[in-house]
Amino acid sequence: MSQDANATPAGGLKSTLKVAVPIVALMAVIFGITLFSVYTPPKPSDVGKEKPGTSGVTNNEPPLRFFSSTRAWDPPSLAPEYQHFPLLAPSRDPSKELPFQFSVQDRVFQGFYETGPQVRCAAFWFENRNSRSVTLQLQGVNCGACSGGRVAAIPPAVMKAYMHRTALASLPIGAFNAFGVGLADPAADFERLEWTRHKFSENPHATYKVPAAADPPDKWAPQWGILELTFTVSDNPKVPLVSGFATEVDGSPDQRGEHSFQIFYAPSQPFVVSTPTIDVGEINQLTKDAEYTFLVYSATRKPDPKWEFGDLPEPTCVVQAPTGIEVGKFVEVAKKVERLPESALLDVERDLDRQKKFTKVLTAYRVTVTVRRKVGDTQLDIGQMERTIYITAGDAKPQAVLVTAMVKGPVGLANGKTSIEIPPFKGREGFGEKHADGAFAGRSIGELVTDAPGMELAVVEGECRPKFIKYEVVKKADRGGRGVYDLKVTVPPGRQFGAILDNPIIVIESKGLNPQRIRIPVKGSGDPG
């Protein structure tokens, strides 16, 4: 959200309220929903029941109850009515049939990472409701070299303090509820959990122990724990990362369970361009200068000095033309690249959603491209126009946007063609007209027409490719009030076998007060036989 640079920072009780009240509300939502929708106390009729041949094990109770088994970025709806309540909004994921069923952990999951050796993690919370300890053992992963895991049991006393203070913090007892501030005490205890760690590539059957629940059960002090799966992000990861675990209540081999966990994530470049191409369409003698825009956005970078990936610096744009063509200023990034305010990023995500690009946007820049038909006395060449804008930002991999247009002018190929094709010929014999005296001359492959009958045309030999092919324009009788030229080509014997490569092209220039060139792509192939 943009802020007034001249605003005075708030202080005192008002400032405290702005920070404390949202935290209390957030914790009430997360732990309130978790407690009352996930935790169901045992029914009185089930308490004390035991399986035949077991002791102290409740009937039909699984070894561990995991609250979720999949971790994936699940952003909130961007509808206006939900913009200020992201933890209550339905899912934005178009593939979800039940958008209001989501995990808070998925909502805050980063999901997009730049490649590197840094270890990432995804947490899966669980509960042991058994009066005996439980063994959790790895059964297999689909990427053992890039995954590991650790498990921590949350002491019941810590959970009890958290549950009590969360419940009190969510009660409507005045504008400011001091119990919410007290959540910081048990929260600090989570930072001191004792973890059991394993790297799965070194220990393919990693084993963890989970303490028993209280007996009798205490709904305010459940035996919860956290399984945290770790991974690193490479250029071509195996997604989803799948891990399989088996659970067993200690002393009760018949009370077993199996669990499969999936982590969906995406390797991301520091920035992406919103479109790979800008198609200007047709440019003719009446076309005026026009502006086009594209965005440079990032799912991993943002202007926060404490953020892991840092900020995305202002992009630099360089326009390049195909080989043999001067860049000029017909396509130019003349205006300053503009960073979009935070308040505009939701609109960017909406636009990307409409383009079926399901991603997050942490920062974005707008790039404005100006396309001109004429610069001073120089005009764009007639034919297919291409310019490539190369975008760089810091140490990120460069990206490119291709700008294309079809330029129309007073000269063109007959019948509206935009390229010519040399008919198939034998490479050893070449292509052309062989006269009776043995001379080898050009052979017609098409006609050029001009708007005015008196217009003079000439081949610009220095810019035609390949150099060994000879191109000619021969004046013919005017037709229908327009000038007509025969376009002839000569391919010397023994010089061309196979397809003509390296962007073959004919360049022709109209003479006069307003000279203009036409560039005509060439296709053809010499039979090697």
Side-chain angles (χ1 to χ4, degrees), residues 300-324:
T300 58
R301 304 284 182 101
K302 64 180 181 180
D304 181 348
K306 297 182 180 179
W307 185 245
E308 172 192 1
F309 298 111
D311 192 13
L312 181 69
E314 181 179 306
T316 299
C317 300
V318 177
V319 181
Q320 293 188 6
T323 303

Side-chain angles (χ1 to χ4, degrees), residues 46-67:
D46 292 336
V47 176
K49 282 190 176 181
E50 298 179 1
K51 285 186 176 182
T54 65
S55 175
V57 178
T58 56
N59 191 25
N60 297 325
E61 177 62 35
L64 296 178
R65 290 176 178 259
F66 281 89
F67 303 153

Side-chain angles (χ1 to χ4, degrees), residues 57-331:
V57 178
T58 56
N59 191 25
N60 297 325
E61 177 62 35
L64 296 178
R65 290 176 178 259
F66 281 89
F67 303 153
S68 62
S69 60
T70 300
R71 189 64 61 241
W73 180 59
D74 189 1
S77 167
L78 297 176
E81 60 267 30
Y82 296 114
Q83 287 187 13
H84 300 293
F85 306 98
L87 292 176
L88 300 178
S91 174
R92 194 175 106 212
D93 186 346
S95 66
K96 296 193 73 170
E97 295 181 359
L98 301 173
F100 278 98
Q101 292 188 5
F102 61 87
S103 165
V104 174
Q105 286 179 286
D106 285 344
R107 187 134 296 181
V108 298
F109 183 56
Q110 169 69 11
F112 294 85
Y113 303 95
E114 296 178 20
T115 59
Q118 297 86 354
V119 176
R120 312 299 175 187
C121 65
F124 298 89
W125 287 52
F126 60 83
E127 180 184 3
N128 179 13
R129 296 186 182 179
N130 299 282
S131 58
R132 292 182 178 178
S133 59
V134 172
T135 297
L136 174 68
Q137 186 176 59
L138 176 68
Q139 297 297 296
V141 293
N142 67 344
C143 181
C146 64
S147 59
R150 64 178 189 168
V151 170
I154 303 174
V158 174
M159 285 304 307
K160 189 169 187 175
Y162 226 102
M163 292 294 188
H164 282 171
R165 300 196 186 199
T166 300
L168 290 171
S170 61
L171 293 176
I173 52 176
F176 175 66
N177 182 354
F179 285 108
V181 180
L183 288 172
D185 293 336
D189 291 333
F190 282 115
E191 300 296 327
R192 296 192 290 268
L193 295 178
E194 295 184 4
W195 295 88
T196 300
R197 296 175 171 82
H198 290 291
K199 189 174 182 180
F200 296 158
S201 60
E202 299 174 356
N203 191 346
H205 299 289
T207 302
Y208 307 90
K209 289 291 185 179
V210 178
D215 189 12
D218 182 352
K219 68 178 182 179
W220 290 106
Q223 181 54 68
W224 283 14
I226 305 171
L227 167 63
E228 192 174 83
L229 299 178
T230 59
F231 57 95
T232 55
V233 180
S234 59
D235 288 324
N236 297 296
K238 186 176 289 187
V239 178
L241 175 63
V242 181
S243 302
F245 286 83
T247 53
E248 181 179 313
V249 176
D250 294 337
S252 181
D254 294 333
Q255 197 173 3
R256 300 175 58 86
E258 293 184 353
H259 308 269
S260 179
F261 302 95
Q262 297 185 81
I263 304 174
F264 292 84
Y265 60 95
S268 179
Q269 295 292 336
F271 73 88
V272 180
V273 292
S274 58
T275 179
T277 60
I278 296 176
D279 185 4
V280 175
E282 180 180 308
I283 296 178
N284 55 47
Q285 299 296 311
L286 300 178
T287 302
K288 297 181 179 180
D289 296 355
E291 292 185 345
Y292 303 84
T293 62
F294 65 87
L295 297 180
V296 176
Y297 65 90
S298 176
T300 58
R301 304 284 182 101
K302 64 180 181 180
D304 181 348
K306 297 182 180 179
W307 185 245
E308 172 192 1
F309 298 111
D311 192 13
L312 181 69
E314 181 179 306
T316 299
C317 300
V318 177
V319 181
Q320 293 188 6
T323 303
I325 301 176
E326 291 186 9
V327 177
K329 293 187 177 182
F330 299 107
V331 176

Side-chain angles (χ1 to χ4, degrees), residues 189-514:
D189 291 333
F190 282 115
E191 300 296 327
R192 296 192 290 268
L193 295 178
E194 295 184 4
W195 295 88
T196 300
R197 296 175 171 82
H198 290 291
K199 189 174 182 180
F200 296 158
S201 60
E202 299 174 356
N203 191 346
H205 299 289
T207 302
Y208 307 90
K209 289 291 185 179
V210 178
D215 189 12
D218 182 352
K219 68 178 182 179
W220 290 106
Q223 181 54 68
W224 283 14
I226 305 171
L227 167 63
E228 192 174 83
L229 299 178
T230 59
F231 57 95
T232 55
V233 180
S234 59
D235 288 324
N236 297 296
K238 186 176 289 187
V239 178
L241 175 63
V242 181
S243 302
F245 286 83
T247 53
E248 181 179 313
V249 176
D250 294 337
S252 181
D254 294 333
Q255 197 173 3
R256 300 175 58 86
E258 293 184 353
H259 308 269
S260 179
F261 302 95
Q262 297 185 81
I263 304 174
F264 292 84
Y265 60 95
S268 179
Q269 295 292 336
F271 73 88
V272 180
V273 292
S274 58
T275 179
T277 60
I278 296 176
D279 185 4
V280 175
E282 180 180 308
I283 296 178
N284 55 47
Q285 299 296 311
L286 300 178
T287 302
K288 297 181 179 180
D289 296 355
E291 292 185 345
Y292 303 84
T293 62
F294 65 87
L295 297 180
V296 176
Y297 65 90
S298 176
T300 58
R301 304 284 182 101
K302 64 180 181 180
D304 181 348
K306 297 182 180 179
W307 185 245
E308 172 192 1
F309 298 111
D311 192 13
L312 181 69
E314 181 179 306
T316 299
C317 300
V318 177
V319 181
Q320 293 188 6
T323 303
I325 301 176
E326 291 186 9
V327 177
K329 293 187 177 182
F330 299 107
V331 176
E332 185 179 26
V333 180
K335 291 186 176 180
K336 180 177 175 58
V337 175
E338 173 192 4
R339 183 194 283 270
L340 299 186
E342 184 180 351
S343 57
L345 299 183
L346 285 179
D347 290 333
V348 175
E349 289 190 352
R350 287 194 190 94
D351 290 340
L352 293 173
D353 281 352
R354 285 191 283 268
Q355 300 173 39
K356 309 300 182 183
K357 298 177 181 178
F358 188 56
T359 184
K360 65 169 58 175
V361 178
L362 299 182
T363 191
Y365 292 88
R366 179 183 289 111
V367 179
T368 301
V369 181
T370 303
V371 179
R372 305 179 179 92
R373 178 187 65 84
K374 188 176 182 180
V375 178
D377 294 331
T378 306
Q379 302 181 75
L380 266 174
D381 293 343
I382 299 169
Q384 182 70 28
M385 185 275 290
E386 291 186 358
R387 296 291 189 273
T388 303
I389 303 174
Y390 289 96
I391 304 102
T392 57
D395 58 352
K397 180 180 178 181
Q399 306 286 331
V401 173
L402 178 65
V403 182
T404 62
M406 178 54 66
V407 183
K408 301 285 185 168
V411 183
L413 289 170
N415 302 319
K417 293 182 178 180
T418 57
S419 64
I420 60 171
E421 185 168 356
I422 301 174
F425 61 93
K426 291 185 178 181
R428 58 184 176 83
E429 297 180 0
F431 181 86
E433 296 287 351
K434 194 171 184 179
H435 295 173
D437 61 0
F440 205 62
R443 178 177 169 183
S444 176
I445 58 172
E447 288 184 334
L448 286 164
V449 294
T450 65
D451 289 347
M455 187 176 294
E456 180 185 353
L457 302 181
V459 174
V460 184
E461 295 183 357
E463 293 193 19
C464 295
R465 297 190 303 272
K467 298 297 184 182
F468 63 84
I469 296 180
K470 182 180 180 181
Y471 304 99
E472 300 175 78
V473 287
V474 179
K475 186 73 172 73
K476 299 175 69 173
D478 295 342
R479 189 167 59 235
R482 305 180 72 184
V484 180
Y485 281 81
D486 203 8
L487 179 57
K488 294 186 176 184
V489 172
T490 303
V491 181
R495 291 299 303 271
Q496 181 61 48
F497 298 94
I500 304 175
L501 304 177
D502 299 326
N503 301 314
I505 196 165
I506 304 172
V507 181
I508 298 170
E509 185 175 62
S510 63
K511 302 296 184 178
L513 295 177
N514 297 300

